[in-house]
Amino acid sequence: TLLVSVRPWAMVRIGDGEPVEVMARRFTLPAGRYRVRIDNDRNDCHLTRTVEVPAGGEAQVTENLIERCGPLEVGEPSADGGN
């Protein structure tokens, strides 16, 4: 299991999967190493993290985009995911 928490929000892609809008979300994944792409296009904030999900356990990615990328617009994403 992978818990992803992003403030204020972002589009998150796990590996080659489809991007999904996330503030906080639990992803059920098999054990392994994953690339987590965090994008907030409205604020031109893009991060990539690598995380190891342990067998039978949980990993976590927590990002505060305000701290990482500076002041952000915190409104809701557009219907097309911020593009």
Side-chain angles (χ1 to χ4, degrees):
T1 301
L2 173 62
L3 176 61
V4 177
S5 177
V6 181
R7 182 175 175 234
W9 64 269
M11 298 303 289
V12 172
R13 180 187 302 260
I14 310 294
D16 294 327
E18 291 296 316
V20 293
E21 182 182 324
V22 170
M23 289 177 72
R25 182 167 174 174
R26 189 175 308 276
F27 295 87
T28 301
L29 301 169
R33 181 178 218 124
Y34 294 90
R35 181 177 48 102
V36 179
R37 176 77 182 176
I38 300 169
D39 294 302
N40 184 306
D41 288 337
R42 176 179 290 171
N43 297 289
D44 196 28
C45 186
H46 310 281
L47 306 171
T48 301
R49 300 288 176 261
T50 301
V51 62
E52 188 77 31
V53 175
E58 182 174 281
Q60 187 170 342
V61 174
T62 301
E63 289 294 344
N64 183 328
L65 301 184
I66 296 167
E67 291 176 0
R68 293 279 182 186
C69 301
L72 303 176
E73 293 180 36
V74 294
E76 293 297 316
S78 64
D80 65 356
N83 293 322

